[in-house]
Every structure is written in structure tokens, then in C-alpha cells.
Amino acid sequence: MRYLPHTDIDRAAMLDTIGADSVDALFSDVPSDLYLDGPVEGLPLHASEMAVERHMRRLSKKNLAAADTPFFLGAGAYRHHVPATVDHIIQRGEFLTAYTPYQPEIAQGTLQMLFEFQTQVARLYGCAIANASMYDGSTACWEAMVMAERITKRTRVVCAAGLHPHYVSVATTLARFTRASVDTAVPVLEAGAGEDAIIDRIDEETSCVVVQYPDILGRIPDLQRIADAAHDKGALLIAVNTEPVALGALEAPGDLGADIVVGEGQAIGVGLQFGGPYLGLFAIANPRHVRQMPGRLCGETIDADGKRGFVLTLSTREQHIRREKATSNICTNSGLCALAFSVHMTLLGDAGLSRLAAVNHALACKAADRLGRVPGLKVLNDTFFNEFTVTFDRDARQLVRDLADKGILAGISLGRLFPDEASLSGGLLVTVTETSTEEDIEALANALQEALS
Amino acid sequence: MSRYFTEEHEWIDVEGDTATIGITDYAQEQLGDVVFVEVPDEGTEVAKGKEAAVVESVKAASDVYAPIGGTVTEGNSALEDDPALVNSSPEEDGWFFRLTIADRSELEGLMDEKAYKAFVDTLD
């Protein structure tokens, strides 16, 4: 049977109200060659639950799963161990309150969780105020650029060459519909993060400089230097972080002069999930900018009896109140992913996060040392946290495919990230987390040595 | 000094070619507790009937329109730290901004206090 709640009478009434004769007339602006003219090819019209399960199991066996193989992929999506406790806790009834916590009297569970989450993000980023989360790192990054435009009344965005190309791509797509001009650059294969090149591009028209930390090649830029140069020109510094575990070891961007800090929170608590849904993090260093912030904010208050409670606050920034003058068209947040992040972060604690970061970095150093001994392979970075770039005189895209056929997921080729840049085709980004073992590193080194000989 | 009123519930005090602008007691009453006011920067050119400031209460944000065109000479900086002045003293300490009047003829058609009171009486 088909699960369609509307009767023919309902549909007729709706069509009549809209002023369309039929459902087809309603969709008349969809080109006719895009219509489906029958069942989807290869998909049966119906199947039993058991048959579907069997079929899905067969399909899933075709995957080379991250957990079953030496795995060195990162570049904005990281495989970390998520404790089993996280999945259990996020399913508890206390958190299953109203979907939208606009009625604080019945949503204290959700609201308190958001408040704790914001506190964690603000501390992680070295910032004054964090919001209740955005959709993902790339959209959070775009929102930060738009916010900088509102604050500075300028429209030129300077993206550092080390900014993730997918983040750049989201920004350039969205900028087609705004006044912003996005100035981009492609990374050069050199050990340093190229601060001079970034600083040279900042001018009096620049609203913000967007710098990834650590950057797309794993290098760690000197944020304070770039922040000072940006502030001298009246521009803001937006720091972007795609690997929050790194901040268990590195100084927080907000303490290094960044005005807005954004990033991807997936690494903590969320898991790879085939690429989504993910979790955008967003925080500001200066509380005076709070009214220009996008997204939900949860605040602490007291109720009529003087008891501590939580509410959504400063909502007049948001589109359900301010309409076309809202700071953003996000009016929600990534609630479940934020909860998972917050639970995992709580389980880790300050000391746990530092230890996790130390383990990541130590294993990455081991991998860099071992790979550095592979003939024909060079480690590019002089700084990195848990991912670094290696180079060789071969097309890395093909090499990654060859190694995948042998059951080793060696990393992300720069050719995949920058398909139009021949100069980067011999680069491979290798990511090492606490889930990698020394045997995995050895297997990767041996496979690379074999492939390059 | 003479005081004028608009149907958008703004008052204007005119002294020479300087105008001081704020919102009326009736307006603050309708808004409820004011939590934030954004006033225009010095030097901003405002046009009659166009948005010049924003006033926010706990659950609403409203635009304040320039009742007359001109160049802003001063925003009320006291509102930054104490937006509640708009509630406690809407027609004195809670003023929004001052401007140099560009065209005095724009004052024509604005209400005096008596006319404004009569206008408000028709609203309730």
C-alpha cells in the first residue's frame, strides 16, 4: 500500500485554493523530459522486510569500511573512536524533548544540553560566545564571512590558500547571491603555511581573512601574525578548524586574535556517517558582536521562583522574528549531532581531550617518520597535528585507487581536492588518528614503497 | 522649541535646524521591555520615511523611520548600556538620535501633541 495521508478530496481542495487544475498543472514548470514515466529501473515495486534486509547486507559487503582496513582519510571528516556510551545517552528520553525548544517550560532538557554545548565550543575555540550549532563546517564558514560583512560594511573576503576547497566552493556558490566577492588562492607545495602570501592580499576593502588552522595540507599557520595584519587594515580574522581534536593540543584560535572561529564538529561524537549529517561550530571572541551572530543562542536565566533555567535568547536576530533583516536564514541547529558532540566532550573532559590529542599527534609523528623513509616520498610539512602532506613523482589519485584495491585507504589525494591544479597532483594528505595502529602505519608504508618502486 | 509627532509613533523636537528624534510613550508601551536599540552613526544621511534605527523588545524587532531627512549628528550612546531608558523616559532621556534638517518643508503635515493624542485615541 502507499502511505499518502491526503484523500482525493483533500487534494482537490488544495488545488482549488492554489488555483491549479491538477497536480501536473501545479508542476508545469518542471521540464517534461525530467518526469519519471514509470517505476525506477532496477527497483522492485515491493519487497518483504526480510528480503530488503538481505539485499542491503549484500550491498554493504561491497563497501571497504573504515573500521575494517588501514585507514588514513581526513581532510575535514575524521575517524575517531566514539565511545558506545554516546549512542546510549543521546537516546535517553530526557533529551527527546520538543523538536524546537521555543517553549522553555517543556524543553529544559534540550535547552540545558545546548547551553552546555555552547560552553564547550566557546572554551574549545577560546571565544566568548558560541551558538547552538550550524549545519556543517562549510556553511558555518560562509555565515562567518557574511557576519564579517555586516560588521565591517565591506564586501571583499580573502580566503587563505590553505582553506579547504570545498569550503571555498560553498562560499563562492553562495556569494553569487550576495554582494560579497570571494578572493581565493591555491596552495603551493611548501613546508610553511604561507602567512606572507596571505597578509599581502589584505587591503582596505577586505572585510575578513579566512584562515584554516590546521590548514588543508595539515600545516599550522601563525594566526596571531595574520590577525595583527588583518586588524591593522580594519579587517576581521575568521579562523576555520576542521579537526576539533587538534585544539586539545594547539592554542585556541580565539586566544590568537581570531574574531570569529568556525569549524566542523564531526570528529567529536558524530562519526563519519557517509559524509553527513555533520555539525557546524560557530563562536565569536568579542561579545559586542553577538547581535550580528547567526543561529540559535541558548542563555541561562532564572524562573519566577528564582530557580536556574535555560531559554533561547537574543532571538530578534533570527528570521522567525526579524524576517528579511535576520542575520541568517538558519533558524535551527544540528541538535542531535550537537548532543553527540557534547556527550563525547563531557566523557573526555579537558584532560581527556588533551590526552586524545597527544595520542593523535604522537601516532602521526610516527607515521611521518616512517613514511619519510620510503624512497621517492617526501613529507612536506614542518608543522602538523594529525594530518600531513606527502609528495612523490606520481599521480596520487591513481595511486590511492591502486592501494584501495589492495585494501589500504592511503589518504586523500590533492588531485581529488584540487582537480584543476596539475601542480598538486603528486600530493597526498595522510591522516592518522587514535584509531590507526602501528601495524596500519607499517602496512601503508610498505604499500607505498611497493607502489613507488 | 516645537515638538511634532508621526503616525509611526515618533516624536521630533525641532530647535533651529537641529531635530531630536525618539519614540513616544505609547510606542514603548506597545513594545514592552526594550532590550536593545541600534542608533545610526554620526554622519549617516537619513531620508524621510526610511529606516534609521532599530528598537528591540524581548520578542520583536521594529524599525524606527526617520520622520524627516537630514544628516545624523549624534546617536544616544546612553541607550547602548541602558536600553530600558526607552521605557522609563521615552520622550526625554530615551531619545534615539539628532540630525541636521535637510529640508524644513518636510515638517509640514506632521502632527502636534494634541493631534497625536487624538490619533492615539482612535487606535485603542
Side-chain angles (χ1 to χ4, degrees), chain A residues 405-440:
Chain A
D405 290 341
K406 294 180 180 162
I408 292 178
L409 295 170
I412 300 203
S413 66
L414 299 187
R416 183 190 177 99
L417 293 171
F418 301 93
D420 303 329
E421 300 300 326
S423 64
L424 301 177
S425 65
L428 176 69
L429 186 67
V430 177
T431 306
V432 188
T433 73
E434 76 287 352
T435 62
S436 314
T437 63
E438 301 207 21
E439 293 78 27
D440 292 343

PDB file of all heavy atoms in Angstrom, chain A residues 405-440:
ATOM      1  N   ASP A 405      42.476  -0.860  -3.942  1.00  0.00           N
ATOM      2  CA  ASP A 405      42.254  -2.213  -4.461  1.00  0.00           C
ATOM      3  C   ASP A 405      42.974  -3.262  -3.622  1.00  0.00           C
ATOM      4  O   ASP A 405      42.578  -4.423  -3.577  1.00  0.00           O
ATOM      5  CB  ASP A 405      42.729  -2.319  -5.927  1.00  0.00           C
ATOM      6  CG  ASP A 405      41.820  -1.535  -6.863  1.00  0.00           C
ATOM      7  OD1 ASP A 405      40.676  -1.247  -6.452  1.00  0.00           O
ATOM      8  OD2 ASP A 405      42.265  -1.191  -7.973  1.00  0.00           O
ATOM      9  N   LYS A 406      44.030  -2.831  -2.943  1.00  0.00           N
ATOM     10  CA  LYS A 406      44.775  -3.766  -2.075  1.00  0.00           C
ATOM     11  C   LYS A 406      44.280  -3.684  -0.633  1.00  0.00           C
ATOM     12  O   LYS A 406      44.916  -4.217   0.281  1.00  0.00           O
ATOM     13  CB  LYS A 406      46.267  -3.436  -2.115  1.00  0.00           C
ATOM     14  CG  LYS A 406      46.887  -3.671  -3.486  1.00  0.00           C
ATOM     15  CD  LYS A 406      48.348  -3.334  -3.455  1.00  0.00           C
ATOM     16  CE  LYS A 406      48.926  -3.576  -4.854  1.00  0.00           C
ATOM     17  NZ  LYS A 406      50.207  -2.873  -5.019  1.00  0.00           N
ATOM     18  N   GLY A 407      43.180  -2.969  -0.413  1.00  0.00           N
ATOM     19  CA  GLY A 407      42.596  -2.909   0.940  1.00  0.00           C
ATOM     20  C   GLY A 407      43.250  -1.894   1.845  1.00  0.00           C
ATOM     21  O   GLY A 407      43.140  -1.981   3.064  1.00  0.00           O
ATOM     22  N   ILE A 408      43.936  -0.887   1.277  1.00  0.00           N
ATOM     23  CA  ILE A 408      44.518   0.168   2.118  1.00  0.00           C
ATOM     24  C   ILE A 408      43.990   1.518   1.648  1.00  0.00           C
ATOM     25  O   ILE A 408      44.137   1.867   0.478  1.00  0.00           O
ATOM     26  CB  ILE A 408      46.060   0.142   2.048  1.00  0.00           C
ATOM     27  CG1 ILE A 408      46.557  -1.131   2.735  1.00  0.00           C
ATOM     28  CG2 ILE A 408      46.658   1.389   2.714  1.00  0.00           C
ATOM     29  CD1 ILE A 408      48.032  -1.313   2.711  1.00  0.00           C
ATOM     30  N   LEU A 409      43.355   2.242   2.556  1.00  0.00           N
ATOM     31  CA  LEU A 409      42.855   3.578   2.213  1.00  0.00           C
ATOM     32  C   LEU A 409      43.931   4.577   2.646  1.00  0.00           C
ATOM     33  O   LEU A 409      44.044   4.941   3.811  1.00  0.00           O
ATOM     34  CB  LEU A 409      41.510   3.828   2.898  1.00  0.00           C
ATOM     35  CG  LEU A 409      40.412   2.869   2.382  1.00  0.00           C
ATOM     36  CD1 LEU A 409      39.160   2.947   3.226  1.00  0.00           C
ATOM     37  CD2 LEU A 409      40.083   3.153   0.917  1.00  0.00           C
ATOM     38  N   ALA A 410      44.755   4.980   1.663  1.00  0.00           N
ATOM     39  CA  ALA A 410      46.045   5.608   1.962  1.00  0.00           C
ATOM     40  C   ALA A 410      45.945   7.079   2.345  1.00  0.00           C
ATOM     41  O   ALA A 410      46.857   7.610   2.975  1.00  0.00           O
ATOM     42  CB  ALA A 410      46.961   5.480   0.747  1.00  0.00           C
ATOM     43  N   GLY A 411      44.865   7.735   1.949  1.00  0.00           N
ATOM     44  CA  GLY A 411      44.764   9.160   2.238  1.00  0.00           C
ATOM     45  C   GLY A 411      43.922   9.814   1.170  1.00  0.00           C
ATOM     46  O   GLY A 411      43.277   9.136   0.374  1.00  0.00           O
ATOM     47  N   ILE A 412      43.925  11.146   1.166  1.00  0.00           N
ATOM     48  CA  ILE A 412      43.154  11.886   0.158  1.00  0.00           C
ATOM     49  C   ILE A 412      44.138  12.587  -0.767  1.00  0.00           C
ATOM     50  O   ILE A 412      44.983  13.360  -0.315  1.00  0.00           O
ATOM     51  CB  ILE A 412      42.212  12.895   0.838  1.00  0.00           C
ATOM     52  CG1 ILE A 412      41.260  12.095   1.738  1.00  0.00           C
ATOM     53  CG2 ILE A 412      41.469  13.730  -0.206  1.00  0.00           C
ATOM     54  CD1 ILE A 412      39.972  12.717   2.074  1.00  0.00           C
ATOM     55  N   SER A 413      44.037  12.265  -2.048  1.00  0.00           N
ATOM     56  CA  SER A 413      44.967  12.880  -2.997  1.00  0.00           C
ATOM     57  C   SER A 413      44.597  14.342  -3.177  1.00  0.00           C
ATOM     58  O   SER A 413      43.414  14.709  -3.154  1.00  0.00           O
ATOM     59  CB  SER A 413      44.883  12.161  -4.338  1.00  0.00           C
ATOM     60  OG  SER A 413      43.617  12.356  -4.912  1.00  0.00           O
ATOM     61  N   LEU A 414      45.614  15.190  -3.350  1.00  0.00           N
ATOM     62  CA  LEU A 414      45.329  16.606  -3.583  1.00  0.00           C
ATOM     63  C   LEU A 414      44.639  16.787  -4.926  1.00  0.00           C
ATOM     64  O   LEU A 414      43.901  17.746  -5.135  1.00  0.00           O
ATOM     65  CB  LEU A 414      46.612  17.437  -3.502  1.00  0.00           C
ATOM     66  CG  LEU A 414      47.336  17.392  -2.153  1.00  0.00           C
ATOM     67  CD1 LEU A 414      48.497  18.389  -2.139  1.00  0.00           C
ATOM     68  CD2 LEU A 414      46.391  17.696  -1.003  1.00  0.00           C
ATOM     69  N   GLY A 415      44.850  15.835  -5.839  1.00  0.00           N
ATOM     70  CA  GLY A 415      44.175  15.890  -7.135  1.00  0.00           C
ATOM     71  C   GLY A 415      42.667  15.751  -6.991  1.00  0.00           C
ATOM     72  O   GLY A 415      41.899  16.286  -7.784  1.00  0.00           O
ATOM     73  N   ARG A 416      42.250  15.019  -5.973  1.00  0.00           N
ATOM     74  CA  ARG A 416      40.815  14.881  -5.719  1.00  0.00           C
ATOM     75  C   ARG A 416      40.255  16.191  -5.156  1.00  0.00           C
ATOM     76  O   ARG A 416      39.146  16.601  -5.487  1.00  0.00           O
ATOM     77  CB  ARG A 416      40.593  13.741  -4.727  1.00  0.00           C
ATOM     78  CG  ARG A 416      39.146  13.435  -4.433  1.00  0.00           C
ATOM     79  CD  ARG A 416      39.056  12.463  -3.273  1.00  0.00           C
ATOM     80  NE  ARG A 416      37.667  12.221  -2.940  1.00  0.00           N
ATOM     81  CZ  ARG A 416      36.976  11.161  -3.336  1.00  0.00           C
ATOM     82  NH1 ARG A 416      37.549  10.240  -4.075  1.00  0.00           N
ATOM     83  NH2 ARG A 416      35.723  11.015  -2.975  1.00  0.00           N
ATOM     84  N   LEU A 417      41.050  16.852  -4.312  1.00  0.00           N
ATOM     85  CA  LEU A 417      40.611  18.106  -3.702  1.00  0.00           C
ATOM     86  C   LEU A 417      40.726  19.283  -4.665  1.00  0.00           C
ATOM     87  O   LEU A 417      39.921  20.206  -4.637  1.00  0.00           O
ATOM     88  CB  LEU A 417      41.440  18.404  -2.440  1.00  0.00           C
ATOM     89  CG  LEU A 417      41.248  17.460  -1.247  1.00  0.00           C
ATOM     90  CD1 LEU A 417      42.289  17.748  -0.170  1.00  0.00           C
ATOM     91  CD2 LEU A 417      39.845  17.609  -0.659  1.00  0.00           C
ATOM     92  N   PHE A 418      41.790  19.241  -5.511  1.00  0.00           N
ATOM     93  CA  PHE A 418      42.041  20.341  -6.462  1.00  0.00           C
ATOM     94  C   PHE A 418      42.176  19.762  -7.861  1.00  0.00           C
ATOM     95  O   PHE A 418      43.282  19.699  -8.409  1.00  0.00           O
ATOM     96  CB  PHE A 418      43.335  21.086  -6.086  1.00  0.00           C
ATOM     97  CG  PHE A 418      43.336  21.683  -4.705  1.00  0.00           C
ATOM     98  CD1 PHE A 418      43.846  20.974  -3.620  1.00  0.00           C
ATOM     99  CD2 PHE A 418      42.835  22.961  -4.476  1.00  0.00           C
ATOM    100  CE1 PHE A 418      43.861  21.528  -2.340  1.00  0.00           C
ATOM    101  CE2 PHE A 418      42.851  23.515  -3.203  1.00  0.00           C
ATOM    102  CZ  PHE A 418      43.360  22.798  -2.131  1.00  0.00           C
ATOM    103  N   PRO A 419      41.068  19.299  -8.466  1.00  0.00           N
ATOM    104  CA  PRO A 419      41.163  18.568  -9.740  1.00  0.00           C
ATOM    105  C   PRO A 419      41.780  19.388 -10.876  1.00  0.00           C
ATOM    106  O   PRO A 419      42.312  18.821 -11.822  1.00  0.00           O
ATOM    107  CB  PRO A 419      39.711  18.190 -10.057  1.00  0.00           C
ATOM    108  CG  PRO A 419      38.862  18.934  -9.117  1.00  0.00           C
ATOM    109  CD  PRO A 419      39.694  19.363  -7.963  1.00  0.00           C
ATOM    110  N   ASP A 420      41.751  20.720 -10.776  1.00  0.00           N
ATOM    111  CA  ASP A 420      42.253  21.549 -11.891  1.00  0.00           C
ATOM    112  C   ASP A 420      43.704  21.971 -11.717  1.00  0.00           C
ATOM    113  O   ASP A 420      44.225  22.726 -12.530  1.00  0.00           O
ATOM    114  CB  ASP A 420      41.389  22.815 -12.030  1.00  0.00           C
ATOM    115  CG  ASP A 420      39.920  22.463 -12.235  1.00  0.00           C
ATOM    116  OD1 ASP A 420      39.653  21.401 -12.838  1.00  0.00           O
ATOM    117  OD2 ASP A 420      39.055  23.239 -11.780  1.00  0.00           O
ATOM    118  N   GLU A 421      44.347  21.515 -10.649  1.00  0.00           N
ATOM    119  CA  GLU A 421      45.703  22.005 -10.366  1.00  0.00           C
ATOM    120  C   GLU A 421      46.742  20.908 -10.586  1.00  0.00           C
ATOM    121  O   GLU A 421      47.026  20.107  -9.703  1.00  0.00           O
ATOM    122  CB  GLU A 421      45.790  22.503  -8.903  1.00  0.00           C
ATOM    123  CG  GLU A 421      44.845  23.628  -8.581  1.00  0.00           C
ATOM    124  CD  GLU A 421      45.097  24.854  -9.449  1.00  0.00           C
ATOM    125  OE1 GLU A 421      46.282  25.117  -9.797  1.00  0.00           O
ATOM    126  OE2 GLU A 421      44.107  25.529  -9.805  1.00  0.00           O
ATOM    127  N   ALA A 422      47.340  20.902 -11.768  1.00  0.00           N
ATOM    128  CA  ALA A 422      48.338  19.868 -12.097  1.00  0.00           C
ATOM    129  C   ALA A 422      49.509  19.905 -11.114  1.00  0.00           C
ATOM    130  O   ALA A 422      50.094  18.867 -10.788  1.00  0.00           O
ATOM    131  CB  ALA A 422      48.839  20.073 -13.521  1.00  0.00           C
ATOM    132  N   SER A 423      49.813  21.110 -10.610  1.00  0.00           N
ATOM    133  CA  SER A 423      50.973  21.251  -9.717  1.00  0.00           C
ATOM    134  C   SER A 423      50.803  20.466  -8.419  1.00  0.00           C
ATOM    135  O   SER A 423      51.772  20.207  -7.706  1.00  0.00           O
ATOM    136  CB  SER A 423      51.191  22.725  -9.385  1.00  0.00           C
ATOM    137  OG  SER A 423      50.067  23.232  -8.665  1.00  0.00           O
ATOM    138  N   LEU A 424      49.560  20.100  -8.080  1.00  0.00           N
ATOM    139  CA  LEU A 424      49.317  19.409  -6.814  1.00  0.00           C
ATOM    140  C   LEU A 424      49.074  17.909  -6.990  1.00  0.00           C
ATOM    141  O   LEU A 424      48.827  17.205  -6.017  1.00  0.00           O
ATOM    142  CB  LEU A 424      48.093  20.039  -6.107  1.00  0.00           C
ATOM    143  CG  LEU A 424      48.196  21.529  -5.786  1.00  0.00           C
ATOM    144  CD1 LEU A 424      46.896  22.041  -5.169  1.00  0.00           C
ATOM    145  CD2 LEU A 424      49.355  21.788  -4.828  1.00  0.00           C
ATOM    146  N   SER A 425      49.159  17.428  -8.233  1.00  0.00           N
ATOM    147  CA  SER A 425      48.723  16.048  -8.490  1.00  0.00           C
ATOM    148  C   SER A 425      49.604  15.000  -7.814  1.00  0.00           C
ATOM    149  O   SER A 425      49.185  13.861  -7.620  1.00  0.00           O
ATOM    150  CB  SER A 425      48.666  15.783  -9.997  1.00  0.00           C
ATOM    151  OG  SER A 425      49.980  15.876 -10.524  1.00  0.00           O
ATOM    152  N   GLY A 426      50.826  15.380  -7.436  1.00  0.00           N
ATOM    153  CA  GLY A 426      51.705  14.423  -6.760  1.00  0.00           C
ATOM    154  C   GLY A 426      51.646  14.529  -5.250  1.00  0.00           C
ATOM    155  O   GLY A 426      52.561  14.100  -4.550  1.00  0.00           O
ATOM    156  N   GLY A 427      50.545  15.104  -4.727  1.00  0.00           N
ATOM    157  CA  GLY A 427      50.433  15.290  -3.278  1.00  0.00           C
ATOM    158  C   GLY A 427      49.357  14.395  -2.677  1.00  0.00           C
ATOM    159  O   GLY A 427      48.327  14.136  -3.303  1.00  0.00           O
ATOM    160  N   LEU A 428      49.634  13.915  -1.481  1.00  0.00           N
ATOM    161  CA  LEU A 428      48.683  13.034  -0.788  1.00  0.00           C
ATOM    162  C   LEU A 428      48.584  13.498   0.662  1.00  0.00           C
ATOM    163  O   LEU A 428      49.606  13.674   1.341  1.00  0.00           O
ATOM    164  CB  LEU A 428      49.189  11.591  -0.852  1.00  0.00           C
ATOM    165  CG  LEU A 428      48.384  10.534  -0.093  1.00  0.00           C
ATOM    166  CD1 LEU A 428      47.027  10.303  -0.752  1.00  0.00           C
ATOM    167  CD2 LEU A 428      49.160   9.217  -0.033  1.00  0.00           C
ATOM    168  N   LEU A 429      47.353  13.692   1.121  1.00  0.00           N
ATOM    169  CA  LEU A 429      47.119  14.105   2.509  1.00  0.00           C
ATOM    170  C   LEU A 429      46.859  12.844   3.334  1.00  0.00           C
ATOM    171  O   LEU A 429      45.915  12.105   3.057  1.00  0.00           O
ATOM    172  CB  LEU A 429      45.916  15.044   2.563  1.00  0.00           C
ATOM    173  CG  LEU A 429      45.600  15.686   3.909  1.00  0.00           C
ATOM    174  CD1 LEU A 429      46.696  16.660   4.331  1.00  0.00           C
ATOM    175  CD2 LEU A 429      44.267  16.428   3.838  1.00  0.00           C
ATOM    176  N   VAL A 430      47.720  12.621   4.324  1.00  0.00           N
ATOM    177  CA  VAL A 430      47.625  11.407   5.148  1.00  0.00           C
ATOM    178  C   VAL A 430      47.177  11.809   6.554  1.00  0.00           C
ATOM    179  O   VAL A 430      47.752  12.714   7.149  1.00  0.00           O
ATOM    180  CB  VAL A 430      49.003  10.711   5.232  1.00  0.00           C
ATOM    181  CG1 VAL A 430      48.936   9.489   6.139  1.00  0.00           C
ATOM    182  CG2 VAL A 430      49.476  10.322   3.841  1.00  0.00           C
ATOM    183  N   THR A 431      46.130  11.159   7.055  1.00  0.00           N
ATOM    184  CA  THR A 431      45.579  11.482   8.374  1.00  0.00           C
ATOM    185  C   THR A 431      45.711  10.277   9.295  1.00  0.00           C
ATOM    186  O   THR A 431      45.370   9.161   8.907  1.00  0.00           O
ATOM    187  CB  THR A 431      44.089  11.865   8.248  1.00  0.00           C
ATOM    188  OG1 THR A 431      43.981  12.908   7.281  1.00  0.00           O
ATOM    189  CG2 THR A 431      43.519  12.319   9.575  1.00  0.00           C
ATOM    190  N   VAL A 432      46.194  10.531  10.487  1.00  0.00           N
ATOM    191  CA  VAL A 432      46.424   9.448  11.448  1.00  0.00           C
ATOM    192  C   VAL A 432      45.708   9.806  12.747  1.00  0.00           C
ATOM    193  O   VAL A 432      45.975  10.858  13.322  1.00  0.00           O
ATOM    194  CB  VAL A 432      47.936   9.280  11.738  1.00  0.00           C
ATOM    195  CG1 VAL A 432      48.184   8.042  12.586  1.00  0.00           C
ATOM    196  CG2 VAL A 432      48.726   9.199  10.440  1.00  0.00           C
ATOM    197  N   THR A 433      44.796   8.963  13.189  1.00  0.00           N
ATOM    198  CA  THR A 433      44.117   9.241  14.461  1.00  0.00           C
ATOM    199  C   THR A 433      44.408   8.099  15.441  1.00  0.00           C
ATOM    200  O   THR A 433      45.128   7.155  15.110  1.00  0.00           O
ATOM    201  CB  THR A 433      42.586   9.358  14.292  1.00  0.00           C
ATOM    202  OG1 THR A 433      42.039   8.053  14.072  1.00  0.00           O
ATOM    203  CG2 THR A 433      42.223  10.288  13.147  1.00  0.00           C
ATOM    204  N   GLU A 434      43.767   8.200  16.616  1.00  0.00           N
ATOM    205  CA  GLU A 434      43.988   7.158  17.627  1.00  0.00           C
ATOM    206  C   GLU A 434      43.476   5.803  17.151  1.00  0.00           C
ATOM    207  O   GLU A 434      43.811   4.773  17.747  1.00  0.00           O
ATOM    208  CB  GLU A 434      43.337   7.556  18.960  1.00  0.00           C
ATOM    209  CG  GLU A 434      41.808   7.417  19.057  1.00  0.00           C
ATOM    210  CD  GLU A 434      41.047   8.473  18.264  1.00  0.00           C
ATOM    211  OE1 GLU A 434      41.676   9.414  17.747  1.00  0.00           O
ATOM    212  OE2 GLU A 434      39.806   8.344  18.167  1.00  0.00           O
ATOM    213  N   THR A 435      42.683   5.797  16.069  1.00  0.00           N
ATOM    214  CA  THR A 435      42.152   4.525  15.575  1.00  0.00           C
ATOM    215  C   THR A 435      43.173   3.799  14.679  1.00  0.00           C
ATOM    216  O   THR A 435      42.947   2.662  14.293  1.00  0.00           O
ATOM    217  CB  THR A 435      40.855   4.731  14.760  1.00  0.00           C
ATOM    218  OG1 THR A 435      41.155   5.536  13.611  1.00  0.00           O
ATOM    219  CG2 THR A 435      39.780   5.416  15.592  1.00  0.00           C
ATOM    220  N   SER A 436      44.251   4.490  14.321  1.00  0.00           N
ATOM    221  CA  SER A 436      45.277   3.837  13.495  1.00  0.00           C
ATOM    222  C   SER A 436      46.231   3.078  14.417  1.00  0.00           C
ATOM    223  O   SER A 436      46.565   3.563  15.498  1.00  0.00           O
ATOM    224  CB  SER A 436      46.082   4.890  12.729  1.00  0.00           C
ATOM    225  OG  SER A 436      45.230   5.839  12.133  1.00  0.00           O
ATOM    226  N   THR A 437      46.668   1.908  13.972  1.00  0.00           N
ATOM    227  CA  THR A 437      47.639   1.161  14.772  1.00  0.00           C
ATOM    228  C   THR A 437      49.002   1.256  14.100  1.00  0.00           C
ATOM    229  O   THR A 437      49.117   1.662  12.943  1.00  0.00           O
ATOM    230  CB  THR A 437      47.247  -0.324  14.862  1.00  0.00           C
ATOM    231  OG1 THR A 437      47.282  -0.864  13.521  1.00  0.00           O
ATOM    232  CG2 THR A 437      45.855  -0.501  15.445  1.00  0.00           C
ATOM    233  N   GLU A 438      50.033   0.834  14.840  1.00  0.00           N
ATOM    234  CA  GLU A 438      51.374   0.843  14.244  1.00  0.00           C
ATOM    235  C   GLU A 438      51.427  -0.131  13.071  1.00  0.00           C
ATOM    236  O   GLU A 438      52.148   0.103  12.099  1.00  0.00           O
ATOM    237  CB  GLU A 438      52.417   0.510  15.316  1.00  0.00           C
ATOM    238  CG  GLU A 438      52.330   1.543  16.442  1.00  0.00           C
ATOM    239  CD  GLU A 438      53.635   1.741  17.203  1.00  0.00           C
ATOM    240  OE1 GLU A 438      54.702   1.401  16.661  1.00  0.00           O
ATOM    241  OE2 GLU A 438      53.556   2.249  18.338  1.00  0.00           O
ATOM    242  N   GLU A 439      50.650  -1.219  13.163  1.00  0.00           N
ATOM    243  CA  GLU A 439      50.600  -2.173  12.037  1.00  0.00           C
ATOM    244  C   GLU A 439      50.003  -1.497  10.798  1.00  0.00           C
ATOM    245  O   GLU A 439      50.461  -1.727   9.683  1.00  0.00           O
ATOM    246  CB  GLU A 439      49.748  -3.408  12.375  1.00  0.00           C
ATOM    247  CG  GLU A 439      50.300  -4.331  13.457  1.00  0.00           C
ATOM    248  CD  GLU A 439      50.092  -3.790  14.865  1.00  0.00           C
ATOM    249  OE1 GLU A 439      49.128  -3.022  15.080  1.00  0.00           O
ATOM    250  OE2 GLU A 439      50.903  -4.106  15.754  1.00  0.00           O
ATOM    251  N   ASP A 440      48.966  -0.677  11.025  1.00  0.00           N
ATOM    252  CA  ASP A 440      48.355   0.045   9.900  1.00  0.00           C
ATOM    253  C   ASP A 440      49.387   0.944   9.228  1.00  0.00           C
ATOM    254  O   ASP A 440      49.474   1.018   7.997  1.00  0.00           O
ATOM    255  CB  ASP A 440      47.190   0.933  10.378  1.00  0.00           C
ATOM    256  CG  ASP A 440      45.982   0.122  10.868  1.00  0.00           C
ATOM    257  OD1 ASP A 440      45.904  -1.080  10.542  1.00  0.00           O
ATOM    258  OD2 ASP A 440      45.137   0.707  11.565  1.00  0.00           O
TER     259      ASP A 440
END
